[in-house]
């Protein structure tokens, strides 16, 4: 009897451990199923993403060769308008010179993955990567699925592979962006819809867009929808298998891919990531997938107010287009950084686009801007990376301008009258960002911090101007918090005051 009691007691002691082991094995062995319910079990916005704040990618492809109008050159060249007129005048009639005829001209001889990755890191980016495929059907990786790829044609280099190695080597996360959901010709054989907006290439009889040649038809999306959907998925699978991106980002036309394929992709990506012990992100626009599965991206703008969930915005350094075009102009470092600060204060992350030339050069104008941005990011890194939003975004006079794709514009103009907040993850510091260069001796006054007067346990102990470590004078009026700007070296882009909290 005593022996039986001993065994019983031992089993009771070991039972919880055994059950825990079984449950842990079940969690580790479970596979995501191709359903939103199953896929929602993953953490759609891992902590590293909130910490990162800033990434860089680039629009570079066959469309960079004509360098005219925008990366939508192939869309417009088969439709009446100035791009088609330009094309015919410079290259000849469409029957004789089609979009794929630019491919041999896309050589990228000066492309240097290591140098680009270092440039992005020096600019302050924590993740980076290419536009792996735009709407035009040309894959920027070594593909067995897509015959139109950068390893076999054009540059004859595995652009995505080379960038992946260079970026990861620098302990940065790797992003691959996809716009190819729009590549399918969605006219359904109806001549009245040959130029439908949701097909990147118009179906023009007598040109390559209407070719029945199997290889050419793939580039122009002139294939049956069922075949295209498999083709869309197979290319994603290939990039996942070969390069293990930490973020896969989709343009807005993802919503036109059938639901079963979107779920099939997500399940495959997340299951592969689990095998590799990766915390990955699916970024989407509009309502292409549930917010419990991915991170929402708002193009060229951002949310107007503080968000409970982490979100993303893709913005471009250039003014005229996302790709390089002749006569391109660029934003100032001041505009880039100030708008990024606004995004961060609302729980957002920024993906900044640069525009290389066809031969693989990121020109000096863009480099100078990135260098200045990087200098600012390094100076105030403590207040940027691994921080979280405060209870309010900030205060100021700037009124949010409407963005073209929802939210507010990415070209909002801020001044030293505008300010934003971020807080350290451990809660020890509150950072006040002034979006400009205030005058020494001027007073920054806001009721937004006035309550600290009445909550000493959460109150402010000391305030210093970051960059100079100059201690600042501050206090409370009847309602407002008041901070006197010290007579010290101030930054032209934005200045940060570190508030040490109780």
């Amino acid at each position: 009897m005593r022996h039986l009691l001993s065994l019983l007691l031992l089993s009771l002691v070991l039972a919880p451990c055994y059950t825990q082991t079984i449950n842990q094995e079940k969690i580790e062995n479970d596979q995501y199923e191709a359903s939103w319910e199953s896929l929602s079990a993953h953490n759609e916005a891992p902590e590293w993403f909130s910490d990162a704040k800033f990434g860089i990618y680039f629009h570079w492809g066959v469309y960079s060769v004509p360098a005219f109008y925008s990366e939508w050159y192939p869309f417009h060249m088969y439709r009446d308008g100035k791009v088609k007129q330009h094309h015919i005048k410079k290259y000849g009639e469409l029957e004789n010179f089609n979009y794929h005829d630019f491919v041999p001209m896309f050589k990228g001889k000066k492309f240097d993955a290591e140098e680009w990755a270092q440039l992005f890191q020096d600019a302050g980016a924590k993740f980076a990567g290419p536009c792996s495929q735009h709407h035009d059907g040309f894959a920027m990786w070594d593909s067995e699925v897509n015959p139109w790829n950068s390893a076999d044609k054009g540059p004859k280099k595995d652009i995505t592979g080379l960038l992946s190695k260079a970026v990861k080597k620098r302990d940065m996360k790797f992003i691959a962006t996809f716009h190819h959901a729009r590549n399918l010709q969605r006219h359904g054989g109806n001549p009245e819809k040959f130029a439908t907006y949701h097909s990147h290439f118009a179906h023009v009889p007598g040109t390559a867009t209407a070719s029945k040649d199997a290889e050419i038809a793939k580039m122009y999306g002139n294939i049956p929808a069922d075949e295209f959907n498999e083709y869309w998925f197979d290319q994603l699978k290939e990039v996942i298998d070969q390069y293990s991106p930490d973020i896969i980002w989709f343009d807005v036309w993802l919503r036109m891919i059938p639901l079963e394929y979107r779920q099939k992709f997500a399940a495959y990506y997340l299951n592969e990531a689990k095998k590799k012990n990766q915390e990955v992100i699916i970024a989407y626009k509009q309502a292409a997938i549930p917010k419990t599965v991915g991170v929402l991206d708002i193009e060229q703008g951002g949310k107007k107010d503080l968000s409970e969930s982490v979100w993303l915005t893709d913005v471009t350094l250039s003014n005229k287009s996302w790709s390089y075009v002749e006569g391109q102009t660029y934003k100032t470092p001041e505009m880039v950084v100030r708008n990024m600060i606004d995004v961060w204060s609302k729980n957002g992350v920024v993906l900044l686009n640069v525009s290389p030339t066809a031969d693989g050069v990121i020109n000096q104008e863009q480099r100078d801007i990135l260098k200045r941005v990087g200098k600012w990011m390094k100076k105030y890194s403590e207040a940027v990376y691994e921080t979280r939003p405060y209870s309010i975004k900030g205060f100021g006079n700037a009124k949010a301008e409407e963005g073209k794709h929802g939210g507010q514009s990415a070209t909002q103009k801020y001044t030293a009258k505008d300010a934003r907040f971020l807080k350290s993850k451990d809660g020890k510091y509150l950072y006040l960002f002034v979006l400009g260069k205030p005058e020494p001796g001027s007073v920054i006054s806001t009721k937004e911090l006035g309550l600290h007067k009445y909550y000493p346990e959460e109150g402010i102990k000391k305030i210093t101007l970051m960059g100079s470590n100059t201690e600042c004078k501050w206090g409370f009026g009847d309602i407002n918090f008041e901070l006197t700007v010290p007579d010290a070296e101030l930054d032209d882009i934005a200045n940060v005051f570190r508030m040490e909290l109780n």
Side-chain angles (χ1 to χ4, degrees):
M1 178 64 71
R2 188 176 299 170
H3 179 66
L4 288 174
L5 286 172
S6 298
L7 287 174
L8 179 61
L9 287 171
L10 181 63
S11 66
L12 289 173
V13 171
L14 293 178
C17 298
Y18 178 74
T19 303
Q20 185 178 8
T21 302
I22 293 296
N23 289 340
Q24 186 62 39
E25 287 178 356
K26 184 177 185 301
I27 291 169
E28 291 176 353
N29 293 331
D30 272 352
Q31 293 288 297
Y32 290 103
E33 297 175 358
S35 71
W36 293 142
E37 182 181 8
S38 175
L39 295 165
S40 294
H42 105 103
N43 181 8
E44 75 280 1
E47 189 171 11
W48 72 257
F49 187 61
S50 295
D51 289 346
K53 295 294 189 290
F54 177 40
I56 295 178
Y57 78 136
F58 51 89
H59 277 64
W60 186 48
V62 178
Y63 45 81
S64 303
V65 175
F68 181 81
Y69 189 73
S70 78
E71 66 285 350
W72 279 50
Y73 188 98
F75 172 89
H76 291 288
M77 69 177 278
Y78 290 100
R79 294 165 168 85
D80 291 338
K82 65 179 183 180
V83 174
K84 181 178 178 180
Q85 293 170 5
H86 166 84
H87 182 85
I88 292 173
K89 183 178 180 180
K90 187 168 183 178
Y91 302 104
E93 296 292 337
L94 294 174
E95 292 80 359
N96 300 319
F97 196 108
N98 282 270
Y99 183 67
H100 72 272
D101 291 313
F102 284 120
V103 172
M105 303 164 66
F106 177 48
K107 298 184 183 299
K109 289 183 177 180
K110 297 182 180 179
F111 166 72
D112 185 333
E114 292 288 340
E115 197 273 335
W116 284 18
Q118 190 60 52
L119 175 67
F120 301 155
Q121 186 176 54
D122 290 345
K126 295 297 184 180
F127 59 95
C131 172
S132 294
Q133 186 176 167
H134 204 250
H135 312 310
D136 65 345
F138 190 83
M140 297 289 281
W141 70 88
D142 186 3
S143 177
E144 295 298 323
V145 175
N146 186 345
W148 299 94
N149 68 81
S150 65
D152 293 330
K153 301 180 188 295
K156 296 189 177 179
K157 297 176 182 177
D158 182 359
I159 304 300
T160 298
L162 291 169
L163 252 300
S164 174
K165 290 179 181 178
V167 165
K168 292 177 181 180
K169 179 174 143 182
R170 289 165 173 78
D171 294 324
M172 300 164 69
K173 300 291 186 180
F174 183 65
I175 183 172
T177 77
F178 290 90
H179 313 239
H180 68 309
R182 197 171 188 276
N183 183 241
L184 174 64
Q185 290 188 24
R186 293 184 168 90
H187 51 71
N190 184 350
E192 293 183 2
K193 295 182 179 181
F194 275 0
T196 176
Y197 177 71
H198 293 301
S199 301
H200 200 57
F201 290 102
H203 188 89
V204 182
T207 73
T209 63
S211 174
K212 294 183 179 180
D213 178 276
E215 184 172 304
I216 293 176
K218 270 194 170 182
M219 175 140 193
Y220 293 92
N222 187 30
I223 58 179
D226 289 346
E227 181 183 337
F228 177 82
N229 293 330
E230 286 291 340
Y231 182 51
W232 173 87
F233 170 74
D234 288 344
Q235 291 182 83
L236 285 162
K237 181 177 180 295
E238 193 171 51
V239 170
I240 293 166
D241 292 345
Q242 293 176 191
Y243 313 111
S244 302
D246 299 289
I247 306 174
I248 289 184
W249 177 104
F250 291 103
D251 206 352
V252 66
W253 283 272
L254 175 64
R255 71 189 192 280
M256 303 199 75
I257 297 298
L259 177 63
E260 63 180 291
Y261 281 92
R262 281 177 270 160
Q263 293 176 330
K264 181 181 177 181
F265 148 74
Y268 186 82
Y269 183 35
L270 297 184
N271 283 324
E272 288 301 303
K274 183 185 283 189
K275 292 177 188 176
K276 302 165 187 173
N277 199 29
Q278 266 186 299
E279 293 183 297
V280 298
I281 295 165
I282 301 170
Y284 68 96
K285 294 184 178 179
Q286 296 184 353
I289 61 174
K291 62 181 180 180
T292 53
V293 177
V295 172
L296 174 67
D297 177 275
I298 302 174
E299 182 176 333
Q300 289 283 47
K303 295 192 176 185
K304 294 182 179 180
D305 297 302
L306 180 60
S307 170
E308 288 187 10
S309 57
V310 183
W311 54 281
L312 178 67
T313 180
D314 58 311
V315 301
T316 183
L317 194 60
S318 51
N319 290 316
K320 293 186 177 182
S321 69
W322 292 78
S323 67
Y324 176 80
V325 293
E326 293 179 6
Q328 183 67 274
T329 59
Y330 305 95
K331 298 172 184 174
T332 64
E334 289 81 4
M335 178 170 284
V336 172
V337 173
R338 290 171 191 172
N339 277 271
M340 288 203 300
I341 294 169
D342 177 71
V343 169
W344 301 333
S345 74
K346 299 169 185 173
N347 210 14
V349 177
V350 177
L351 175 60
L352 179 67
N353 172 74
V354 297
S355 310
T357 62
D359 57 358
V361 172
I362 299 173
N363 64 20
Q364 195 59 46
E365 289 176 89
Q366 294 179 84
R367 288 174 177 275
D368 289 344
I369 298 167
L370 293 177
K371 182 178 180 181
R372 182 66 183 94
V373 170
K375 181 180 179 182
W376 186 93
M377 296 286 282
K378 185 176 182 180
K379 182 178 180 181
Y380 299 110
S381 60
E382 175 196 322
V384 175
Y385 306 114
E386 299 184 25
T387 57
R388 296 295 181 267
Y390 187 48
S391 56
I392 52 174
K393 65 180 181 183
F395 56 90
N397 297 335
K399 294 181 179 180
E401 298 175 1
E402 294 295 323
K404 293 181 180 179
H405 305 280
Q408 72 176 51
S409 168
T411 56
Q412 183 73 44
K413 294 180 180 178
Y414 295 103
T415 70
K417 298 294 184 181
D418 302 297
R420 295 292 183 265
F421 294 114
L422 282 171
K423 193 174 183 179
S424 61
K425 283 201 293 186
D426 60 12
K428 292 181 179 179
Y429 298 100
L430 179 63
Y431 301 99
L432 173 64
F433 294 74
V434 176
L435 309 186
K437 185 177 182 179
E439 289 292 327
S442 63
V443 176
I444 299 169
S445 178
T446 175
K447 64 180 180 181
E448 305 295 354
L449 292 180
L451 288 176
H452 278 277
K453 176 180 181 181
Y454 302 102
Y455 297 96
E457 71 277 6
E458 298 177 0
I460 300 165
K461 292 168 62 177
K462 184 173 72 172
I463 301 176
T464 55
L465 173 65
M466 294 187 70
S468 71
N469 208 33
T470 303
E471 192 164 345
C472 306
K473 294 180 181 178
W474 60 278
F476 295 97
D478 290 339
I479 299 176
N480 285 9
F481 162 83
E482 296 175 346
L483 167 66
T484 301
V485 178
D487 186 7
E489 185 178 351
L490 296 164
D491 198 290
D492 291 329
I493 292 180
N495 292 271
V496 185
F497 296 88
R498 181 205 287 124
M499 302 181 177
E500 186 177 347
L501 305 178
N502 288 322

